[in-house]
């Protein structure tokens, strides 16, 4: 196939192949960003639940706790540990949007997914720009949620879908420039970009969560986890919502489904990042910036076409990834 003109299906299945071949490493990398957020929330709500359930016994044993200021301090102390875990995991999850692109580049050059810290540094060394990029993207998302902007927001979402790849691979651009560059790359390729997005959404947002949900139901995990959440839900003031048939059992079941969905979406982020990095390579080659060559090419050719000054990838990542495990 001609360079820079890969089929969307080739991109999609190549992305799944790269993910499948390195699934253990991607799972290891995404474990804390995904599970850490859940653990942090469980600690926040679990400790708070324990405190409220045992409050009467505590004030009998420790009368000093029967004071509004002391109660607030205790609640804050209960929340802080879980909040810190959640915040760190959430930040790592945001960083992965850029680091996974760098990992894809490293894999295409060396055939290995390696050195997570170095790939993270590709993002963290441009922290200000990265935060500004997320801020602009959040504002764009909020505006797009207004019904009158749904259609135009969706159209521009497709045009802006490569902003994190542009951030990772190209230097010298402002946060607004990442959006402009993505629009420039996707311009004229809207339909194919939309098709790739549709494939990824159906596969990672529908089929895989549904499959894991079936497994949870088959091994009877769904009702067990739902029962735990249901116990907590009984502490909520649900009386005004009873007319809508909202019960603790319903809340427990729905939250379990949402947790399954969140876990699948989180652990399949590498699939989406890999596919969009491959698509970026495909479009950037047509625009004059050569993509990283496949590992099947000779080292001489790969070294010649890998343009570090344009792509912004630390060459130390490539050097260390080429070493065997016992050499590093």
């Amino acid at each position: 196939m001609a360079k820079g003109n890969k089929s969307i299906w080739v991109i999609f299945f190549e992305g799944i192949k790269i993910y499948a071949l390195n699934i253990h490493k991607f799972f290891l990398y995404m474990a804390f960003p995904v599970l850490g957020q859940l653990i942090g929330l469980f600690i926040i709500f679990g400790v708070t639940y324990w405190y409220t359930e045992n409050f009467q016994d505590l004030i009998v044993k420790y009368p000093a706790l029967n004071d509004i200021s002391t109660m607030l301090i205790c609640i804050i102390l209960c929340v802080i540990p879980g909040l810190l875990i959640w915040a760190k995991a959430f930040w790592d999850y945001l960083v992965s949007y850029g680091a996974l692109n760098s990992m894809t580049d490293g894999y295409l050059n060396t055939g290995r997914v390696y050195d997570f810290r170095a790939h993270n540094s590709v993002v963290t060394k441009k922290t200000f720009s990265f935060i500004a990029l997320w801020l602009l993207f959040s504002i764009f998302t909020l505006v797009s949620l207004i019904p009158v902007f749904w259609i135009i927001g969706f159209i521009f979402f497709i045009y802006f879908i490569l902003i994190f790849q542009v951030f990772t691979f190209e230097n010298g651009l402002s946060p607004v420039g990442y959006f402009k560059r993505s629009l420039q790359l996707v311009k004229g390729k809207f339909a194919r970009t939309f098709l790739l997005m549709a494939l990824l959404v159906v596969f990672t947002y529908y089929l895989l969560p549904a499959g894991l949900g079936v497994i949870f139901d088959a091994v009877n995990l769904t009702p067990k986890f739902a029962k735990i959440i249901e116990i907590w839900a009984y502490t909520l003031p649900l009386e005004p919502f009873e007319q809508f048939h909202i019960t603790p059992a319903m809340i427990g079941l729905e939250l379990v489904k949402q947790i399954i969905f969140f876990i699948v979406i989180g652990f399949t982020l590498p699939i989406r990042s890999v596919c969009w990095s491959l698509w970026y390579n495909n479009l950037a080659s047509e625009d004059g910036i050569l993509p990283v060559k496949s590992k099947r090419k000779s080292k001489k050719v790969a070294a010649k076409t890998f343009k570090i000054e344009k792509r912004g990838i630390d060459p130390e990542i490539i050097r260390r990834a080429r070493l065997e495990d016992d050499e590093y």
Side-chain angles (χ1 to χ4, degrees):
M1 183 172 294
K3 180 181 67 177
N5 193 30
K6 284 187 177 181
S7 162
I8 287 300
W9 292 98
V10 171
I11 296 287
F12 177 68
F13 286 113
E14 185 176 352
I16 294 177
K17 177 183 176 182
I18 292 174
Y19 178 79
L21 292 175
N22 301 276
I23 190 169
H24 58 297
K25 295 182 179 179
F26 284 127
F27 263 61
L28 177 64
Y29 178 72
M30 296 303 301
F32 179 73
V34 175
L35 300 180
Q37 293 186 64
L38 293 177
I39 292 172
L41 292 176
F42 287 152
I43 291 176
I44 291 172
F45 291 106
V47 175
T48 304
Y49 170 77
W50 176 88
Y51 177 74
T52 55
E53 286 294 298
N54 295 277
F55 178 71
Q56 295 298 328
D57 294 334
L58 290 173
I59 61 175
V60 170
K61 190 174 182 179
Y62 306 102
L65 295 177
N66 194 18
D67 178 78
I68 186 64
S69 59
T70 306
M71 290 170 55
L72 290 175
I73 292 174
C74 290
I75 292 174
I76 292 173
L77 291 176
C78 289
V79 169
I80 285 178
L83 184 62
L84 291 176
I85 293 173
W86 177 86
K88 179 61 169 65
F90 181 68
W91 170 250
D92 287 353
Y93 189 80
L94 296 183
V95 169
S96 67
Y97 271 79
L100 287 167
N101 303 323
S102 178
M103 290 180 198
T104 303
D105 242 0
Y107 178 83
L108 294 175
N109 275 272
T110 67
R112 303 179 67 197
V113 174
Y114 204 69
D115 204 349
F116 298 153
R117 184 175 300 177
H119 290 293
N120 285 343
S121 71
V122 173
V123 176
T124 55
K125 70 182 180 182
K126 299 189 291 184
T127 300
F128 178 79
S129 294
F130 189 64
I131 293 175
L133 175 61
W134 269 109
L135 179 61
L136 289 175
F137 182 69
S138 299
I139 294 173
F140 164 74
T141 302
L142 290 175
V143 172
S144 299
L145 291 176
I146 301 174
V148 71
F149 295 122
W150 281 356
I151 296 178
I152 190 171
F154 176 76
I155 292 173
F156 275 102
F157 178 81
I158 303 298
Y159 280 115
F160 296 154
I161 207 161
L162 296 178
I163 54 175
F164 294 105
Q165 284 67 38
V166 175
F167 168 86
T168 304
F169 297 137
E170 300 189 26
N171 291 322
L173 296 176
S174 67
V176 174
Y178 301 135
F179 286 85
K180 291 181 178 179
R181 176 63 175 155
S182 177
L183 189 151
Q184 177 188 359
L185 289 169
V186 176
K187 187 176 180 180
K189 307 293 187 302
F190 183 91
R192 296 170 67 195
T193 304
F194 171 78
L195 176 59
L196 179 57
M197 186 196 72
L199 290 172
L200 291 172
V201 167
V202 171
F203 184 63
T204 64
Y205 282 78
Y206 178 73
L207 293 180
L208 292 181
L212 184 60
V214 170
I215 294 175
F216 266 60
D217 291 341
V219 298
N220 205 33
L221 285 178
T222 300
K224 291 180 180 179
F225 286 127
K227 191 65 178 178
I228 295 174
I229 299 176
E230 180 183 346
I231 294 173
W232 165 79
Y234 274 108
T235 64
L236 301 176
L238 298 178
E239 290 79 8
F241 304 99
E242 289 179 352
Q243 57 181 320
F244 302 108
H245 307 290
I246 296 178
T247 64
M250 175 185 175
I251 292 176
L253 183 60
E254 289 302 316
L255 281 180
V256 169
K257 292 179 180 179
Q258 291 304 312
I259 290 171
I260 293 173
F261 181 79
F262 176 78
I263 290 174
V264 175
I265 296 306
F267 278 106
T268 57
L269 176 61
I271 295 179
R272 298 187 294 276
S273 293
V274 169
C275 286
W276 289 123
S277 294
L278 295 173
W279 186 232
Y280 167 88
N281 275 352
N282 190 70
L283 298 182
S285 67
E286 298 178 0
D287 199 49
I289 299 179
L290 295 177
V292 177
K293 295 296 183 180
S294 169
K295 62 179 181 177
R296 296 178 182 176
K297 302 293 183 180
S298 67
K299 292 183 179 180
K300 182 177 179 181
V301 174
K304 185 176 180 180
T305 58
F306 184 60
K307 296 189 176 182
I308 296 171
E309 72 279 5
K310 288 187 177 182
R311 299 296 297 275
I313 300 300
D314 187 350
E316 182 66 10
I317 295 176
I318 304 301
R319 185 192 69 79
R320 285 187 286 186
R322 285 197 176 106
L323 299 176
E324 296 298 332
D325 289 344
D326 57 355
E327 295 180 56
Y328 178 66

